[in-house]
Amino acid sequence: MTNTDKIRRIAIAIYTVNRHAKTAPNNKELYELKKIALEKLLHAGDAQKIGLHFVDNPKFSKQHSTTLVRCSDFLFHMIPEKEDFKSLPHLGHQDQTSRNPQERMSLRTAKTMLIDFTNYVQPTITQEIRKKPLKKQKLDMNQQNGFRSSYLDG
């Protein structure tokens, strides 16, 4: 397998992980894997930052931008760094007609490929202590040992 084929397979894996992350209820790990893989590709020179795009659906109605990254024939967005605003051109709003190629890969295969590529250590459930929300206790007014007002007693 040539290097360009390997990079294309990694780009397909990033595309698959990104597509699943958009609909996953717990997507933090998937987006982290995408970010680490893109940073490694950028550092190796196998991906290039093209410019900045406005975000289509900004949070809290505050306009902000993302960095557009090209890897093989795929385009991805990632959170910009300070230097990106100084060195990259702003491309305005995203082109809705531009789409990534439709490729298929299972999420398990994509995650395994990206974990091997990045040496990413997956957090275990014990590392991510999940706290259950506390149930509100209903207070019974007759069983309270607190202060009672004689004014209300009549």
Side-chain angles (χ1 to χ4, degrees):
M1 182 183 295
T2 65
N3 191 39
T4 55
D5 291 337
K6 182 181 176 185
I7 299 303
R8 178 161 170 70
R9 295 280 298 162
I10 291 170
I12 293 170
I14 295 170
Y15 169 76
T16 303
V17 165
N18 190 44
R19 191 166 36 97
H20 281 83
K22 291 178 181 184
T23 58
N26 187 10
N27 58 11
K28 188 175 183 179
E29 179 186 340
L30 295 174
Y31 279 128
E32 184 70 19
L33 192 56
K34 170 193 167 188
K35 176 184 165 216
I36 292 170
L38 282 174
E39 286 174 350
K40 186 168 182 177
L41 288 168
L42 286 166
H43 185 70
D46 295 321
Q48 304 84 27
K49 291 182 180 181
I50 297 173
L52 298 167
H53 266 161
F54 286 124
V55 174
D56 281 342
N57 300 313
K59 289 184 181 179
F60 311 116
S61 298
K62 291 186 177 182
Q63 186 62 262
H64 58 279
S65 298
T66 58
T67 303
L68 182 65
V69 177
R70 178 184 304 279
C71 179
S72 185
D73 50 348
F74 289 85
L75 296 172
F76 302 104
H77 286 102
M78 56 188 298
I79 298 172
E81 298 171 349
K82 274 189 175 181
E83 299 83 40
D84 294 342
F85 289 102
K86 296 174 186 173
S87 62
L88 295 174
H90 205 292
L91 306 172
H93 291 280
Q94 297 178 24
D95 181 11
Q96 298 300 327
T97 60
S98 175
R99 297 280 182 211
N100 281 328
Q102 294 294 311
E103 294 287 346
R104 297 285 177 238
M105 179 184 285
S106 74
L107 180 60
R108 174 175 281 172
T109 304
K111 281 177 67 173
T112 303
M113 186 180 292
L114 292 180
I115 288 169
D116 291 343
F117 175 68
T118 61
N119 299 321
Y120 177 71
V121 178
Q122 288 180 298
T124 60
I125 294 174
T126 56
Q127 289 174 340
E128 292 180 8
I129 299 173
R130 297 183 179 163
K131 296 181 181 178
K132 292 183 179 178
L134 296 175
K135 292 182 179 178
K136 291 184 180 180
Q137 294 179 353
K138 204 173 194 181
L139 296 176
D140 187 9
M141 293 303 285
N142 294 332
Q143 294 181 2
Q144 279 187 339
N145 295 333
F147 172 78
R148 288 189 61 187
S149 172
S150 60
Y151 178 79
L152 296 174
D153 289 342

